[in-house]
Amino acid sequence: MCGIFGAVGSKIKKRDIRKLGGFAQQRGQDSSGFLISSGSRLILYRADQAISKSLKYLDTISDISFVMGHSRLVTNGMTDNQPVFHNGACVIHNGIIVNADSLWKSTTRERLQQIDTEIITALVADHIDNGGSVEEICEVVLSACRGVVACAIALPKLGKLCLFSNNGSLYAGVKDHTTYFASEKFPLSKIHCREIVQIREHGLVLDIAPHEDDPDIEEFGSSIRNLVPALGAAASREETLLEYRDHSLRRCSRCILPETMPYIEFNELGVCNYCTNYSPRNTPKPFDQLERLIEPYRRGSVEDCIVPFSGGRDSCYSLHLICNELKMKPIAYTYDWGMVTDLGRRNISRMCAQLGVENIIVADDIVTKRQNIATNFKAWLKSPHLGMVSILTAGDKHFFRHVETVKQQTDISLNLWGVNPLEVTHFKAGFLGVPPNFAEERVYSSGTMKQLRYQWLRLRAMAASPSYFNSSLWDTLSGEYYRSFHKKTDYFHLFDYWRWDEREVDNTLINRYDWETAPDTNTTWRIGDGTAAIYNYIYYTVAGFTEHDTFRSNQIREGDLSREEALELVSDENRPRYPNIKWYLDAIGMDFDQVIPVINNIPKLKPEAWQ
């Protein structure tokens, strides 16, 4: 996934291209590149660096009549970079083509690269060689490809540029007799373009200076950083290091919470206090109440709400409901901090393409984020503390900060959240010393005194391993501020008004959207989250349960599952997910053989600690 930008015309301003490139970098900064037409020269530049660095190359070029560039978040095709030039076409593509491998079987063209974008060049070349017109290219590509396709295709020998998208993540505007384009509307407005239009399936074809010869290619680096390690299902010697033993713990006679659950108590009937204090959470208010609440925000044919969109099952189902039940026009907002797996990204691509929803991506500095995770994980391994496991996910809290960024850039105030009401995990803070608040209404709740106490307990635990006080500390604390203290306005929780039903959610996503499931687990929960497998492995190995036990227990209390069904499910869901754990450790640059034995040797939690 990447940010696309460019310009065609005789009065292209380099400062405007730099501004567009700067906004494109918001979508990813793993790699960058551009195609430039300057007089008789056609130059293709690719680099494994941020676009802000690559744009310095423009200073060496004069008389630019056409440029198209990108700033890329590496997803499909780790070792290849854009623009892709093959078969006489040069392509910059935002999105993931989820059926690229099968499409290659339908063409005689030679596949030279791993990146999914290359299939577009083959489709275009076949179409042109068969006598097809340039104006038909968008229809040919979009009818064949599944997943988000927002792209710019330059055909130098024909002197044409094709712009199109199947989800609306591409805009064009005019300034000084020059056409500029970008992945989002906001950057074009910032350089004072007028007549800004959203480019969709109909496409836009522009004339560029023709070039008979192939472009001169200049490359900086080779883009071989291990940013997207493979997630497979194959077993290996490493997998035998993972333990999965029966902890033989006493469990609640009504739900399945074990005696190692923080602050758990059992009455004379063996029922735990989490059950006796439980208030139904999955009993939504009438849906028409939500419809009345959002009515003032509707804009007719224009995008009117923002949907925080992780690619997980609940955010995907929420997007489905918002488009099909609320009949709104959402913009999906995704924050990528380096722990979204390619599986999650592919499901984002599937949903946005089929629903025609624009997806604004805010990608952090993934290399730095992963270095922060590794630094904190090493600190944790020196002094393992179950209450500090959450430090591994501290970097994702800027998700809440950038909701505000997207609201400002789109001038849309309404945001609709798809937080599952049953995803209550009291134990994560409980292991730190925070008693459960059974009256808490929402999964993500705030409260100044509560959060200050939590941060004080966390700082006290960090003192046991001074390595926690590292360069990531500000990132952690500022993220917590936006999650817990920053005031949130104009937002509603969809599942306050729509009953969450696991079977309905899974059936809809898998059967209607061809939603992809994971190769290493039968559950559909957290499968696009690169951190879930490792932290659940820690919890199960040390305490004998995971967040699956708390989730299934809530379903029992809601009447959605029997206790026997829940026990059978968690016995499968708590099994170590080797491929995902391997992905995680590869991503942050830590050795599987060194990390897993340390976790295995942590003293097991004694039940009486909470009696």
Side-chain angles (χ1 to χ4, degrees):
M1 298 181 182
C2 67
I4 293 173
F5 64 95
V8 179
S10 58
K11 296 183 178 181
I12 295 175
K13 301 291 192 299
K14 290 183 181 179
R15 65 175 179 271
D16 289 335
I17 294 299
R18 291 191 184 94
K19 286 181 180 178
L20 294 181
F23 283 108
Q25 186 165 302
Q26 173 180 286
R27 286 176 166 256
Q29 50 187 305
D30 300 331
S31 63
S32 57
F34 32 77
L35 181 71
I36 302 173
S37 177
S38 173
S40 61
R41 294 188 66 196
L42 186 65
I43 306 160
L44 193 155
Y45 179 93
R46 292 187 287 237
D48 60 348
Q49 63 186 12
I51 190 67
S52 56
K53 295 181 180 179
S54 293
L55 283 171
K56 295 177 182 177
Y57 183 79
L58 291 179
D59 295 334
T60 66
I61 308 296
S62 59
D63 300 322
I64 298 174
S65 62
F66 162 59
V67 58
M68 68 179 195
H70 80 100
S71 183
R72 185 177 178 222
L73 169 66
V74 173
T75 52
N76 187 286
M78 178 184 67
T79 58
D80 304 315
N81 202 354
Q82 298 187 40
V84 172
F85 182 79
H86 193 198
N87 300 308
C90 188
V91 180
I92 290 175
H93 161 231
N94 169 40
I96 298 177
I97 302 171
V98 298
N99 63 331
D101 291 343
S102 62
L103 286 175
W104 278 108
K105 298 175 184 178
S106 64
T107 180
T108 58
R109 306 281 171 178
E110 182 183 6
R111 185 174 189 175
L112 302 178
Q113 299 177 326
Q114 177 189 4
I115 192 169
D116 57 329
T117 303
E118 189 188 12
I119 189 60
I120 296 175
T121 70
L123 294 171
V124 171
D126 284 346
H127 173 70
I128 295 298
D129 287 354
N130 289 329
S133 69
V134 172
E135 288 72 19
E136 296 171 325
I137 285 175
C138 60
E139 181 182 353
V140 168
V141 173
L142 294 182
S143 64
C145 297
R146 288 192 291 113
V148 167
V149 181
C151 66
I153 304 175
L155 301 167
K157 292 183 180 180
L158 298 179
K160 298 291 183 179
L161 171 69
C162 299
L163 304 172
F164 57 88
S165 78
N166 60 0
N167 76 321
S169 289
L170 195 58
Y171 291 82
V174 177
K175 178 184 177 182
D176 297 332
H177 305 289
T178 297
T179 299
Y180 290 86
F181 58 91
S183 291
E184 296 162 27
K185 181 179 181 180
F186 182 71
L188 296 176
S189 67
K190 294 299 287 185
I191 64 169
H192 307 294
C193 281
R194 53 186 174 81
E195 301 173 22
I196 299 175
V197 296
Q198 188 178 41
I199 304 173
R200 284 190 172 266
E201 290 86 348
H202 51 80
L204 178 65
V205 177
L206 301 172
D207 293 324
I208 60 175
H211 291 268
E212 285 299 320
D213 297 327
D214 289 344
D216 299 327
I217 298 177
E218 299 192 27
E219 297 193 86
F220 182 87
S222 56
S223 196
I224 59 173
R225 291 171 294 163
N226 191 22
L227 292 166
V228 189
L231 176 62
S236 76
R237 176 197 57 78
E238 291 175 331
E239 188 170 7
T240 63
L241 296 177
L242 297 171
E243 296 181 351
Y244 183 60
R245 68 188 187 92
D246 183 359
H247 287 261
S248 300
L249 298 171
R250 177 191 180 190
R251 292 179 182 265
C252 172
S253 60
R254 181 178 297 170
C255 72
I256 62 172
L257 291 185
E259 55 191 334
T260 49
M261 180 77 178
Y263 296 101
I264 198 167
E265 297 174 359
F266 299 101
N267 64 18
E268 66 278 3
L269 298 176
V271 178
C272 74
N273 54 326
Y274 287 84
C275 283
T276 57
N277 287 283
Y278 188 80
S279 297
R281 306 175 65 90
N282 199 14
T283 53
K285 305 167 190 175
F287 194 65
D288 59 6
Q289 287 189 19
L290 177 60
E291 292 179 308
R292 288 196 296 271
L293 287 170
I294 65 173
E295 190 61 33
Y297 298 94
R298 292 187 183 275
R299 297 183 177 181
S301 61
V302 181
E303 284 81 3
D304 48 19
C305 67
I306 295 166
V307 181
F309 191 54
S310 67
R313 69 179 180 186
D314 295 321
S315 66
C316 285
Y317 188 69
S318 296
L319 194 66
H320 158 79
L321 290 178
I322 290 163
C323 291
N324 293 289
E325 298 295 335
L326 286 176
K327 306 296 183 183
M328 299 197 77
K329 290 187 65 64
I331 289 178
Y333 148 63
T334 301
Y335 174 63
D336 199 315
W337 65 296
M339 286 293 113
V340 179
T341 66
D342 241 13
L343 186 152
R345 290 166 173 163
R346 288 193 294 272
N347 281 332
I348 289 171
S349 188
R350 284 180 172 89
M351 296 295 298
C352 289
Q354 289 197 48
L355 291 169
V357 171
E358 180 181 353
N359 183 209
I360 293 181
I361 301 165
V362 178
D364 220 308
D365 184 338
I366 286 180
V367 172
T368 299
K369 282 283 190 178
R370 289 179 173 175
Q371 288 173 348
N372 289 344
I373 295 170
T375 301
N376 285 326
F377 199 9
K378 290 171 185 176
W380 187 89
L381 291 169
K382 290 178 182 178
S383 180
H385 188 313
L386 290 182
M388 287 299 295
V389 173
S390 61
I391 198 73
L392 302 180
T393 58
D396 74 343
K397 302 304 181 289
H398 287 272
F399 184 102
F400 297 88
R401 166 191 168 197
H402 290 295
V403 168
E404 301 304 314
T405 302
V406 175
K407 286 169 66 175
Q408 292 173 8
Q409 292 183 356
T410 60
D411 194 30
I412 297 174
S413 59
L414 175 64
N415 50 113
L416 297 175
W417 292 70
V419 179
N420 190 318
L422 303 183
E423 292 183 12
V424 182
T425 52
H426 292 297
F427 70 90
K428 294 179 181 179
F431 282 129
L432 196 60
V434 179
N437 179 3
F438 295 117
E440 202 166 65
E441 292 184 1
R442 290 201 172 95
V443 175
Y444 291 113
S445 61
S446 57
T448 302
M449 293 308 298
K450 172 189 171 182
Q451 292 301 323
L452 289 175
R453 172 172 168 74
Y454 175 78
Q455 296 302 333
W456 163 248
L457 290 170
R458 175 184 270 185
L459 286 171
R460 193 170 67 176
M462 290 170 69
S465 182
S467 298
Y468 283 123
F469 296 95
N470 55 61
S471 58
S472 74
L473 190 58
W474 173 249
D475 183 69
T476 298
L477 294 176
S478 58
E480 289 288 355
Y481 166 78
Y482 281 99
R483 175 193 184 274
S484 303
F485 295 99
H486 186 74
K487 185 178 180 181
K488 300 173 180 63
T489 58
D490 299 305
Y491 82 110
F492 301 101
H493 289 267
L494 189 65
F495 293 115
D496 284 351
Y497 305 89
W498 186 279
R499 191 176 190 281
W500 187 88
D501 182 289
E502 186 170 29
R503 291 182 181 86
E504 179 185 333
V505 171
D506 287 352
N507 288 338
T508 300
L509 295 179
I510 293 170
N511 297 327
R512 184 164 178 171
Y513 297 97
D514 193 29
W515 202 73
E516 186 177 350
T517 57
D520 58 348
T521 182
N522 291 316
T523 184
T524 55
W525 188 32
R526 304 269 200 239
I527 59 174
D529 181 351
T531 65
I534 188 69
Y535 69 65
N536 277 320
Y537 181 73
I538 293 170
Y539 286 130
Y540 187 82
T541 301
V542 181
F545 72 95
T546 72
E547 60 187 358
H548 294 292
D549 296 71
T550 60
F551 181 75
R552 297 304 181 187
S553 290
N554 283 335
Q555 285 185 299
I556 293 171
R557 299 181 192 114
E558 295 285 341
D560 295 335
L561 281 181
S562 69
R563 188 173 185 274
E564 291 69 27
E565 287 174 320
L567 285 170
E568 184 177 352
L569 285 168
V570 298
S571 69
D572 176 65
E573 293 164 349
N574 287 341
R575 293 183 181 278
R577 295 175 57 192
Y578 167 72
N580 198 285
I581 294 172
K582 174 65 174 174
W583 180 95
Y584 177 86
L585 294 175
D586 282 352
I588 63 175
M590 294 184 70
D591 194 316
F592 193 99
D593 288 341
Q594 294 180 9
V595 171
I596 300 304
V598 174
I599 296 172
N600 293 345
N601 289 327
I602 298 172
K604 306 304 179 273
L605 191 66
K606 296 180 180 180
E608 57 268 23
W610 304 106
Q611 303 305 308

